[in-house]
mmCIF file of all heavy atoms in Angstrom:
data_model
loop_
_atom_site.group_PDB
_atom_site.id
_atom_site.type_symbol
_atom_site.label_atom_id
_atom_site.label_comp_id
_atom_site.label_asym_id
_atom_site.label_seq_id
_atom_site.Cartn_x
_atom_site.Cartn_y
_atom_site.Cartn_z
ATOM 1 N N VAL A 38 -18.113 6.436 -2.530
ATOM 2 C CA VAL A 38 -18.234 7.784 -1.964
ATOM 3 C C VAL A 38 -18.948 8.659 -2.982
ATOM 4 O O VAL A 38 -18.457 8.852 -4.095
ATOM 5 C CB VAL A 38 -16.855 8.372 -1.610
ATOM 6 C CG1 VAL A 38 -16.990 9.822 -1.154
ATOM 7 C CG2 VAL A 38 -16.186 7.534 -0.525
ATOM 8 N N PHE A 41 -22.251 14.411 -0.922
ATOM 9 C CA PHE A 41 -23.056 14.481 0.300
ATOM 10 C C PHE A 41 -24.272 15.362 0.038
ATOM 11 O O PHE A 41 -24.143 16.488 -0.446
ATOM 12 C CB PHE A 41 -22.219 15.061 1.440
ATOM 13 C CG PHE A 41 -22.893 15.005 2.780
ATOM 14 C CD1 PHE A 41 -22.991 13.807 3.469
ATOM 15 C CD2 PHE A 41 -23.436 16.147 3.349
ATOM 16 C CE1 PHE A 41 -23.613 13.748 4.709
ATOM 17 C CE2 PHE A 41 -24.054 16.101 4.585
ATOM 18 C CZ PHE A 41 -24.147 14.894 5.266
ATOM 19 N N ASP A 52 -17.393 23.458 11.488
ATOM 20 C CA ASP A 52 -17.339 22.255 12.339
ATOM 21 C C ASP A 52 -15.904 21.712 12.418
ATOM 22 O O ASP A 52 -15.461 21.254 13.484
ATOM 23 C CB ASP A 52 -18.264 21.176 11.789
ATOM 24 C CG ASP A 52 -19.738 21.525 11.968
ATOM 25 O OD1 ASP A 52 -20.034 22.442 12.764
ATOM 26 O OD2 ASP A 52 -20.590 20.883 11.308
ATOM 27 N N ILE A 53 -15.186 21.768 11.314
ATOM 28 C CA ILE A 53 -13.793 21.309 11.304
ATOM 29 C C ILE A 53 -12.925 22.239 12.150
ATOM 30 O O ILE A 53 -12.063 21.782 12.909
ATOM 31 C CB ILE A 53 -13.265 21.232 9.850
ATOM 32 C CG1 ILE A 53 -13.899 20.024 9.140
ATOM 33 C CG2 ILE A 53 -11.746 21.124 9.821
ATOM 34 C CD1 ILE A 53 -13.587 19.940 7.669
ATOM 35 N N ALA A 56 -13.550 21.383 15.703
ATOM 36 C CA ALA A 56 -12.921 20.093 16.022
ATOM 37 C C ALA A 56 -11.418 20.241 16.206
ATOM 38 O O ALA A 56 -10.827 19.634 17.110
ATOM 39 C CB ALA A 56 -13.221 19.089 14.920
ATOM 40 N N LEU A 57 -10.804 21.039 15.363
ATOM 41 C CA LEU A 57 -9.354 21.233 15.446
ATOM 42 C C LEU A 57 -8.949 22.045 16.675
ATOM 43 O O LEU A 57 -7.866 21.844 17.233
ATOM 44 C CB LEU A 57 -8.840 21.939 14.183
ATOM 45 C CG LEU A 57 -8.838 21.103 12.895
ATOM 46 C CD1 LEU A 57 -8.574 21.992 11.680
ATOM 47 C CD2 LEU A 57 -7.792 19.996 12.984
ATOM 48 N N SER A 62 -8.096 17.810 19.980
ATOM 49 C CA SER A 62 -8.729 17.714 18.661
ATOM 50 C C SER A 62 -9.814 16.633 18.634
ATOM 51 O O SER A 62 -9.630 15.534 19.138
ATOM 52 C CB SER A 62 -7.701 17.428 17.557
ATOM 53 O OG SER A 62 -6.767 18.478 17.468
ATOM 54 N N ASP A 63 -10.935 17.001 18.063
ATOM 55 C CA ASP A 63 -12.055 16.073 17.922
ATOM 56 C C ASP A 63 -11.860 15.291 16.623
ATOM 57 O O ASP A 63 -12.408 15.636 15.572
ATOM 58 C CB ASP A 63 -13.369 16.869 17.906
ATOM 59 C CG ASP A 63 -14.591 15.985 17.783
ATOM 60 O OD1 ASP A 63 -14.432 14.751 17.705
ATOM 61 O OD2 ASP A 63 -15.706 16.535 17.726
ATOM 62 N N VAL A 64 -11.064 14.231 16.701
ATOM 63 C CA VAL A 64 -10.694 13.465 15.508
ATOM 64 C C VAL A 64 -11.908 12.799 14.888
ATOM 65 O O VAL A 64 -12.032 12.708 13.662
ATOM 66 C CB VAL A 64 -9.609 12.413 15.854
ATOM 67 C CG1 VAL A 64 -9.276 11.560 14.640
ATOM 68 C CG2 VAL A 64 -8.351 13.102 16.371
ATOM 69 N N ASN A 65 -12.823 12.352 15.721
ATOM 70 C CA ASN A 65 -14.022 11.672 15.222
ATOM 71 C C ASN A 65 -14.794 12.555 14.246
ATOM 72 O O ASN A 65 -15.256 12.085 13.202
ATOM 73 C CB ASN A 65 -14.906 11.270 16.408
ATOM 74 C CG ASN A 65 -16.107 10.455 15.978
ATOM 75 O OD1 ASN A 65 -17.114 10.982 15.542
ATOM 76 N ND2 ASN A 65 -15.990 9.136 16.107
ATOM 77 N N THR A 66 -14.929 13.840 14.583
ATOM 78 C CA THR A 66 -15.651 14.776 13.714
ATOM 79 C C THR A 66 -14.896 14.995 12.403
ATOM 80 O O THR A 66 -15.504 15.043 11.329
ATOM 81 C CB THR A 66 -15.860 16.125 14.425
ATOM 82 O OG1 THR A 66 -16.724 15.929 15.547
ATOM 83 C CG2 THR A 66 -16.478 17.155 13.497
ATOM 84 N N LEU A 67 -13.583 15.112 12.476
ATOM 85 C CA LEU A 67 -12.770 15.299 11.268
ATOM 86 C C LEU A 67 -12.961 14.120 10.310
ATOM 87 O O LEU A 67 -13.168 14.303 9.112
ATOM 88 C CB LEU A 67 -11.292 15.433 11.631
ATOM 89 C CG LEU A 67 -10.894 16.612 12.519
ATOM 90 C CD1 LEU A 67 -9.401 16.544 12.852
ATOM 91 C CD2 LEU A 67 -11.217 17.934 11.828
ATOM 92 N N VAL A 68 -12.891 12.917 10.866
ATOM 93 C CA VAL A 68 -13.043 11.715 10.045
ATOM 94 C C VAL A 68 -14.461 11.635 9.481
ATOM 95 O O VAL A 68 -14.651 11.351 8.287
ATOM 96 C CB VAL A 68 -12.726 10.448 10.874
ATOM 97 C CG1 VAL A 68 -13.089 9.189 10.098
ATOM 98 C CG2 VAL A 68 -11.252 10.423 11.251
ATOM 99 N N ARG A 69 -15.440 11.893 10.319
ATOM 100 C CA ARG A 69 -16.840 11.791 9.880
ATOM 101 C C ARG A 69 -17.135 12.723 8.710
ATOM 102 O O ARG A 69 -17.777 12.315 7.724
ATOM 103 C CB ARG A 69 -17.779 12.113 11.049
ATOM 104 C CG ARG A 69 -19.264 12.121 10.672
ATOM 105 C CD ARG A 69 -20.138 12.442 11.872
ATOM 106 N NE ARG A 69 -19.769 13.696 12.531
ATOM 107 C CZ ARG A 69 -20.102 14.906 12.075
ATOM 108 N NH1 ARG A 69 -20.793 15.030 10.945
ATOM 109 N NH2 ARG A 69 -19.753 15.993 12.730
ATOM 110 N N ILE A 70 -16.668 13.953 8.783
ATOM 111 C CA ILE A 70 -16.954 14.916 7.721
ATOM 112 C C ILE A 70 -16.185 14.582 6.438
ATOM 113 O O ILE A 70 -16.766 14.452 5.360
ATOM 114 C CB ILE A 70 -16.619 16.353 8.172
ATOM 115 C CG1 ILE A 70 -17.571 16.796 9.288
ATOM 116 C CG2 ILE A 70 -16.713 17.322 6.990
ATOM 117 C CD1 ILE A 70 -17.242 18.145 9.890
ATOM 118 N N LEU A 71 -14.881 14.410 6.553
ATOM 119 C CA LEU A 71 -14.054 14.310 5.349
ATOM 120 C C LEU A 71 -14.186 12.980 4.611
ATOM 121 O O LEU A 71 -13.936 12.922 3.404
ATOM 122 C CB LEU A 71 -12.584 14.584 5.705
ATOM 123 C CG LEU A 71 -12.317 16.007 6.204
ATOM 124 C CD1 LEU A 71 -10.848 16.177 6.578
ATOM 125 C CD2 LEU A 71 -12.726 17.047 5.155
ATOM 126 N N THR A 72 -14.596 11.928 5.310
ATOM 127 C CA THR A 72 -14.802 10.651 4.609
ATOM 128 C C THR A 72 -16.209 10.529 4.037
ATOM 129 O O THR A 72 -16.478 9.602 3.270
ATOM 130 C CB THR A 72 -14.550 9.447 5.540
ATOM 131 O OG1 THR A 72 -15.427 9.535 6.671
ATOM 132 C CG2 THR A 72 -13.105 9.394 5.992
ATOM 133 N N ASN A 73 -17.082 11.465 4.382
ATOM 134 C CA ASN A 73 -18.450 11.424 3.873
ATOM 135 C C ASN A 73 -18.735 12.544 2.872
ATOM 136 O O ASN A 73 -19.895 12.869 2.611
ATOM 137 C CB ASN A 73 -19.441 11.494 5.037
ATOM 138 C CG ASN A 73 -19.562 10.162 5.753
ATOM 139 O OD1 ASN A 73 -20.210 9.239 5.273
ATOM 140 N ND2 ASN A 73 -18.895 10.046 6.896
ATOM 141 N N ARG A 74 -17.683 13.124 2.328
ATOM 142 C CA ARG A 74 -17.797 14.104 1.245
ATOM 143 C C ARG A 74 -16.963 13.595 0.082
ATOM 144 O O ARG A 74 -15.923 12.965 0.293
ATOM 145 C CB ARG A 74 -17.282 15.489 1.673
ATOM 146 C CG ARG A 74 -17.842 16.026 2.990
ATOM 147 C CD ARG A 74 -19.343 16.303 2.910
ATOM 148 N NE ARG A 74 -19.839 16.938 4.134
ATOM 149 C CZ ARG A 74 -20.312 16.279 5.188
ATOM 150 N NH1 ARG A 74 -20.346 14.941 5.175
ATOM 151 N NH2 ARG A 74 -20.762 16.929 6.252
ATOM 152 N N ARG A 79 -14.647 18.171 -0.815
ATOM 153 C CA ARG A 79 -13.521 18.411 0.098
ATOM 154 C C ARG A 79 -12.702 19.622 -0.346
ATOM 155 O O ARG A 79 -12.211 20.388 0.491
ATOM 156 C CB ARG A 79 -12.623 17.173 0.175
ATOM 157 C CG ARG A 79 -13.222 16.020 0.938
ATOM 158 C CD ARG A 79 -12.258 14.852 1.040
ATOM 159 N NE ARG A 79 -12.969 13.587 0.909
ATOM 160 C CZ ARG A 79 -12.810 12.712 -0.060
ATOM 161 N NH1 ARG A 79 -11.892 12.924 -1.005
ATOM 162 N NH2 ARG A 79 -13.519 11.617 -0.100
ATOM 163 N N ILE A 82 -14.535 22.602 0.778
ATOM 164 C CA ILE A 82 -14.378 22.773 2.229
ATOM 165 C C ILE A 82 -13.045 23.437 2.545
ATOM 166 O O ILE A 82 -12.972 24.336 3.402
ATOM 167 C CB ILE A 82 -14.473 21.409 2.949
ATOM 168 C CG1 ILE A 82 -15.897 20.857 2.883
ATOM 169 C CG2 ILE A 82 -14.025 21.532 4.413
ATOM 170 C CD1 ILE A 82 -16.035 19.429 3.381
ATOM 171 N N LEU A 98 -4.593 19.932 9.694
ATOM 172 C CA LEU A 98 -4.853 18.497 9.865
ATOM 173 C C LEU A 98 -3.570 17.764 10.247
ATOM 174 O O LEU A 98 -3.575 16.877 11.105
ATOM 175 C CB LEU A 98 -5.419 17.903 8.574
ATOM 176 C CG LEU A 98 -6.848 18.320 8.180
ATOM 177 C CD1 LEU A 98 -7.188 17.794 6.799
ATOM 178 C CD2 LEU A 98 -7.858 17.821 9.209
ATOM 179 N N ALA A 101 -2.845 18.183 13.855
ATOM 180 C CA ALA A 101 -3.791 17.533 14.769
ATOM 181 C C ALA A 101 -3.713 16.015 14.734
ATOM 182 O O ALA A 101 -4.093 15.351 15.699
ATOM 183 C CB ALA A 101 -5.217 17.976 14.433
ATOM 184 N N LEU A 102 -3.205 15.468 13.627
ATOM 185 C CA LEU A 102 -3.221 14.021 13.443
ATOM 186 C C LEU A 102 -1.804 13.463 13.394
ATOM 187 O O LEU A 102 -0.836 14.211 13.357
ATOM 188 C CB LEU A 102 -3.960 13.675 12.136
ATOM 189 C CG LEU A 102 -5.386 14.199 12.019
ATOM 190 C CD1 LEU A 102 -5.900 14.018 10.603
ATOM 191 C CD2 LEU A 102 -6.311 13.507 13.014
ATOM 192 N N SER A 103 -1.701 12.157 13.363
ATOM 193 C CA SER A 103 -0.379 11.529 13.270
ATOM 194 C C SER A 103 -0.510 10.138 12.642
ATOM 195 O O SER A 103 -1.607 9.587 12.549
ATOM 196 C CB SER A 103 0.266 11.401 14.655
ATOM 197 O OG SER A 103 -0.522 10.566 15.504
ATOM 198 N N GLY A 105 -0.734 6.771 10.438
ATOM 199 C CA GLY A 105 -1.509 6.356 9.283
ATOM 200 C C GLY A 105 -2.753 7.182 9.058
ATOM 201 O O GLY A 105 -3.149 7.432 7.910
ATOM 202 N N LEU A 106 -3.399 7.622 10.145
ATOM 203 C CA LEU A 106 -4.611 8.420 10.003
ATOM 204 C C LEU A 106 -4.284 9.775 9.380
ATOM 205 O O LEU A 106 -5.043 10.283 8.547
ATOM 206 C CB LEU A 106 -5.292 8.613 11.359
ATOM 207 C CG LEU A 106 -6.658 9.300 11.308
ATOM 208 C CD1 LEU A 106 -7.654 8.480 10.490
ATOM 209 C CD2 LEU A 106 -7.198 9.537 12.719
ATOM 210 N N GLU A 107 -3.167 10.360 9.768
ATOM 211 C CA GLU A 107 -2.721 11.610 9.153
ATOM 212 C C GLU A 107 -2.513 11.419 7.643
ATOM 213 O O GLU A 107 -2.978 12.227 6.827
ATOM 214 C CB GLU A 107 -1.404 12.078 9.787
ATOM 215 C CG GLU A 107 -0.802 13.308 9.122
ATOM 216 C CD GLU A 107 0.632 13.567 9.557
ATOM 217 O OE1 GLU A 107 1.014 13.124 10.662
ATOM 218 O OE2 GLU A 107 1.384 14.183 8.779
ATOM 219 N N LEU A 109 -3.860 9.192 5.702
ATOM 220 C CA LEU A 109 -5.138 8.960 5.037
ATOM 221 C C LEU A 109 -5.900 10.266 4.837
ATOM 222 O O LEU A 109 -6.408 10.545 3.745
ATOM 223 C CB LEU A 109 -5.968 7.971 5.852
ATOM 224 C CG LEU A 109 -7.285 7.485 5.228
ATOM 225 C CD1 LEU A 109 -7.621 6.078 5.718
ATOM 226 C CD2 LEU A 109 -8.455 8.413 5.531
ATOM 227 N N MET A 110 -5.983 11.079 5.878
ATOM 228 C CA MET A 110 -6.770 12.308 5.791
ATOM 229 C C MET A 110 -6.142 13.325 4.834
ATOM 230 O O MET A 110 -6.839 14.023 4.101
ATOM 231 C CB MET A 110 -6.926 12.921 7.190
ATOM 232 C CG MET A 110 -7.628 12.013 8.176
ATOM 233 S SD MET A 110 -9.332 11.616 7.691
ATOM 234 C CE MET A 110 -10.159 13.068 8.277
ATOM 235 N N LEU A 111 -4.811 13.398 4.821
ATOM 236 C CA LEU A 111 -4.140 14.290 3.874
ATOM 237 C C LEU A 111 -4.335 13.784 2.446
ATOM 238 O O LEU A 111 -4.463 14.578 1.509
ATOM 239 C CB LEU A 111 -2.653 14.404 4.209
ATOM 240 C CG LEU A 111 -2.318 15.136 5.506
ATOM 241 C CD1 LEU A 111 -0.812 15.129 5.756
ATOM 242 C CD2 LEU A 111 -2.833 16.578 5.479
ATOM 243 N N LEU A 113 -6.994 12.247 1.358
ATOM 244 C CA LEU A 113 -8.355 12.613 0.987
ATOM 245 C C LEU A 113 -8.450 14.062 0.519
ATOM 246 O O LEU A 113 -9.294 14.397 -0.309
ATOM 247 C CB LEU A 113 -9.303 12.407 2.174
ATOM 248 C CG LEU A 113 -9.656 10.965 2.547
ATOM 249 C CD1 LEU A 113 -10.450 10.933 3.845
ATOM 250 C CD2 LEU A 113 -10.445 10.290 1.430
ATOM 251 N N MET A 114 -7.578 14.917 1.036
ATOM 252 C CA MET A 114 -7.626 16.337 0.694
ATOM 253 C C MET A 114 -6.919 16.655 -0.619
ATOM 254 O O MET A 114 -7.027 17.763 -1.128
ATOM 255 C CB MET A 114 -7.022 17.179 1.824
ATOM 256 C CG MET A 114 -7.790 17.143 3.125
ATOM 257 S SD MET A 114 -9.564 17.511 2.915
ATOM 258 C CE MET A 114 -9.504 19.139 2.156
ATOM 259 N N LYS A 330 -8.540 -0.637 13.968
ATOM 260 C CA LYS A 330 -9.256 -0.183 15.163
ATOM 261 C C LYS A 330 -9.353 1.343 15.189
ATOM 262 O O LYS A 330 -8.645 2.040 14.477
ATOM 263 C CB LYS A 330 -8.532 -0.660 16.434
ATOM 264 C CG LYS A 330 -8.310 -2.173 16.518
ATOM 265 C CD LYS A 330 -9.617 -2.951 16.501
ATOM 266 C CE LYS A 330 -9.364 -4.461 16.535
ATOM 267 N NZ LYS A 330 -10.625 -5.220 16.352
ATOM 268 N N GLY A 331 -10.223 1.848 16.038
ATOM 269 C CA GLY A 331 -10.300 3.276 16.317
ATOM 270 C C GLY A 331 -10.697 4.122 15.122
ATOM 271 O O GLY A 331 -11.482 3.714 14.266
ATOM 272 N N GLU A 332 -10.117 5.342 15.063
ATOM 273 C CA GLU A 332 -10.469 6.274 13.991
ATOM 274 C C GLU A 332 -10.021 5.773 12.618
ATOM 275 O O GLU A 332 -10.665 6.069 11.612
ATOM 276 C CB GLU A 332 -9.856 7.664 14.254
ATOM 277 C CG GLU A 332 -10.555 8.483 15.306
ATOM 278 C CD GLU A 332 -9.994 8.249 16.701
ATOM 279 O OE1 GLU A 332 -9.012 7.473 16.830
ATOM 280 O OE2 GLU A 332 -10.528 8.849 17.662
ATOM 281 N N MET A 333 -8.928 5.010 12.577
ATOM 282 C CA MET A 333 -8.495 4.450 11.296
ATOM 283 C C MET A 333 -9.557 3.492 10.757
ATOM 284 O O MET A 333 -9.888 3.511 9.568
ATOM 285 C CB MET A 333 -7.157 3.725 11.451
ATOM 286 C CG MET A 333 -6.684 3.021 10.176
ATOM 287 S SD MET A 333 -6.408 4.166 8.811
ATOM 288 C CE MET A 333 -4.789 4.782 9.273
ATOM 289 N N GLN A 334 -10.100 2.660 11.644
ATOM 290 C CA GLN A 334 -11.178 1.766 11.242
ATOM 291 C C GLN A 334 -12.380 2.568 10.759
ATOM 292 O O GLN A 334 -12.976 2.261 9.713
ATOM 293 C CB GLN A 334 -11.593 0.873 12.412
ATOM 294 C CG GLN A 334 -12.690 -0.120 12.059
ATOM 295 C CD GLN A 334 -13.375 -0.684 13.297
ATOM 296 O OE1 GLN A 334 -14.165 -0.001 13.950
ATOM 297 N NE2 GLN A 334 -13.065 -1.934 13.622
ATOM 298 N N GLN A 335 -12.728 3.606 11.500
ATOM 299 C CA GLN A 335 -13.863 4.456 11.134
ATOM 300 C C GLN A 335 -13.688 5.038 9.738
ATOM 301 O O GLN A 335 -14.621 5.042 8.916
ATOM 302 C CB GLN A 335 -14.010 5.587 12.164
ATOM 303 C CG GLN A 335 -15.147 6.565 11.863
ATOM 304 C CD GLN A 335 -15.087 7.805 12.755
ATOM 305 O OE1 GLN A 335 -14.302 7.871 13.706
ATOM 306 N NE2 GLN A 335 -15.900 8.800 12.437
ATOM 307 N N ALA A 336 -12.479 5.515 9.449
ATOM 308 C CA ALA A 336 -12.207 6.148 8.158
ATOM 309 C C ALA A 336 -12.258 5.136 7.013
ATOM 310 O O ALA A 336 -12.879 5.384 5.971
ATOM 311 C CB ALA A 336 -10.844 6.842 8.194
ATOM 312 N N LEU A 337 -11.618 3.986 7.200
ATOM 313 C CA LEU A 337 -11.588 2.978 6.142
ATOM 314 C C LEU A 337 -12.985 2.410 5.875
ATOM 315 O O LEU A 337 -13.358 2.185 4.719
ATOM 316 C CB LEU A 337 -10.620 1.849 6.508
ATOM 317 C CG LEU A 337 -9.133 2.225 6.553
ATOM 318 C CD1 LEU A 337 -8.303 1.039 7.038
ATOM 319 C CD2 LEU A 337 -8.640 2.697 5.188
ATOM 320 N N LEU A 338 -13.749 2.188 6.937
ATOM 321 C CA LEU A 338 -15.105 1.668 6.761
ATOM 322 C C LEU A 338 -16.002 2.689 6.063
ATOM 323 O O LEU A 338 -16.881 2.314 5.271
ATOM 324 C CB LEU A 338 -15.714 1.273 8.110
ATOM 325 C CG LEU A 338 -15.073 0.083 8.824
ATOM 326 C CD1 LEU A 338 -15.798 -0.205 10.137
ATOM 327 C CD2 LEU A 338 -15.075 -1.159 7.939
ATOM 328 N N ALA A 339 -15.779 3.974 6.328
ATOM 329 C CA ALA A 339 -16.564 5.012 5.665
ATOM 330 C C ALA A 339 -16.281 5.023 4.164
ATOM 331 O O ALA A 339 -17.200 5.208 3.359
ATOM 332 C CB ALA A 339 -16.254 6.375 6.265
ATOM 333 N N LEU A 340 -15.023 4.792 3.783
ATOM 334 C CA LEU A 340 -14.672 4.747 2.361
ATOM 335 C C LEU A 340 -15.213 3.480 1.707
ATOM 336 O O LEU A 340 -15.681 3.496 0.577
ATOM 337 C CB LEU A 340 -13.149 4.832 2.191
ATOM 338 C CG LEU A 340 -12.485 6.141 2.623
ATOM 339 C CD1 LEU A 340 -10.989 6.055 2.466
ATOM 340 C CD2 LEU A 340 -13.032 7.312 1.815
ATOM 341 N N ARG A 342 -17.767 1.818 2.779
ATOM 342 C CA ARG A 342 -19.159 2.221 2.828
ATOM 343 C C ARG A 342 -20.124 1.204 3.424
ATOM 344 O O ARG A 342 -20.898 1.519 4.305
ATOM 345 C CB ARG A 342 -19.657 2.630 1.437
ATOM 346 C CG ARG A 342 -20.991 3.367 1.435
ATOM 347 C CD ARG A 342 -20.963 4.607 2.296
ATOM 348 N NE ARG A 342 -20.046 5.633 1.800
ATOM 349 C CZ ARG A 342 -19.710 6.729 2.464
ATOM 350 N NH1 ARG A 342 -20.206 6.931 3.668
ATOM 351 N NH2 ARG A 342 -18.861 7.615 1.970
#
Side-chain angles (χ1 to χ4, degrees):
V38 174
F41 188 75
D52 289 345
I53 287 173
L57 289 169
S62 298
D63 181 0
V64 177
N65 185 278
T66 295
L67 298 177
V68 171
R69 176 180 55 78
I70 293 175
L71 296 178
T72 58
N73 283 283
R74 310 294 186 269
R79 288 183 218 116
I82 291 171
L98 290 173
L102 303 169
S103 62
L106 187 61
E107 175 193 336
L109 187 151
M110 300 298 278
L111 292 178
L113 287 173
M114 295 309 302
K330 304 300 178 187
E332 284 90 3
M333 176 62 80
Q334 182 198 74
Q335 178 191 351
L337 293 175
L338 293 181
L340 295 177
R342 193 57 65 189

